[in-house]
Amino acid sequence: NSKNPDLAQALNNLAERYVDEHKFGDAEALYDRVLLIRTSAFGKNNADVAASRRSLGRLYMERGDFSKADAQIKEAQSIFLKIKNLPELADTLDLLAELKSRQERFDEAAKAYEQALQIRSKEKTRDQKAIKYEKSKLQAIQAIQSKIKVIGKVEESKQNRPTKPRK
């Protein structure tokens, strides 16, 4: 049945296993099928559909296809924002930050971690473990950004140094 959520969940679980085993092609085919089933059953703006897109984004990121990963993660982010599912939105922002870190786009990574941290800090349940995780990731990104700035200044000063004439 093309609208069976239980089938979609079983396929999703199998796809996750394939990702863990680095069988990305098999996992992608299953995730695509899960997305199709869930979209057919629930419509586009649904948490399960967004979770499927986020899973595809994670798969593409693991495979190194960053542009596809970015598109899927941002679509999931948009859906979670529309339906106001803030805990899932924070998880999606974490994944986006990880993607941006792998792309060495540290300003964007920091922004995503800051947004996730802001959401988690406002949640009624306030997942302290997740908050601690986001703070540590944000601090790591900020440390990288600082080192990049220092390296840039050192390189700039080397280029601006007058050269001594040879005798």
Side-chain angles (χ1 to χ4, degrees):
N1 187 344
S2 65
K3 290 188 178 188
N4 185 333
D6 293 332
L7 174 62
Q9 188 58 52
L11 294 172
N12 190 75
N13 293 345
L14 184 56
E16 287 175 2
R17 184 172 180 174
Y18 284 157
V19 170
D20 291 342
E21 296 171 356
H22 299 278
K23 296 179 180 176
F24 298 131
D26 294 333
E28 182 179 10
L30 290 176
Y31 279 141
D32 284 339
R33 189 164 169 209
V34 169
L35 180 59
L36 187 65
I37 292 169
R38 287 178 171 170
T39 303
S40 177
F42 305 123
K44 290 188 329 186
N45 294 321
N46 173 274
D48 288 335
V49 171
S52 293
R53 291 197 174 279
R54 184 175 58 208
S55 294
L56 270 167
R58 182 180 306 281
L59 165 77
Y60 292 137
M61 181 179 72
E62 292 301 325
R63 200 169 67 186
D65 193 340
F66 296 146
S67 63
K68 281 186 176 180
D70 189 69
Q72 291 296 334
I73 294 167
K74 285 184 176 171
E75 184 62 29
Q77 178 185 357
S78 173
I79 294 168
F80 285 130
L81 191 60
K82 280 181 196 170
I83 63 174
K84 296 178 177 36
N85 187 328
L86 297 183
E88 293 294 331
L89 176 59
D91 289 346
T92 304
L93 287 164
D94 279 340
L95 184 60
L96 181 62
E98 185 178 340
L99 172 66
K100 296 306 176 184
S101 293
R102 288 187 187 191
Q103 294 174 296
E104 299 182 2
R105 294 164 69 176
F106 300 115
D107 290 341
E108 292 174 62
K111 182 180 174 186
Y113 278 129
E114 287 169 351
Q115 290 173 329
L117 185 58
Q118 211 171 32
I119 290 167
R120 293 213 197 276
S121 297
K122 290 178 183 177
E123 287 177 351
K124 290 179 178 144
T125 57
R126 286 201 180 91
D127 182 348
Q128 293 303 318
K129 187 176 177 182
I131 289 171
K132 188 175 180 179
Y133 167 82
E134 264 139 22
K135 283 182 179 178
S136 70
K137 287 294 211 174
L138 181 58
Q139 289 169 346
I141 293 291
Q142 290 169 337
I144 290 169
Q145 288 174 307
S146 294
K147 288 178 183 177
I148 289 171
K149 287 178 185 172
V150 168
I151 291 168
K153 288 179 182 177
V154 168
E155 291 298 317
E156 187 179 307
S157 70
K158 284 181 182 178
Q159 291 174 357
N160 292 335
R161 240 185 257 155
T163 56
K164 294 180 181 178
R166 293 187 180 181
K167 293 181 182 180

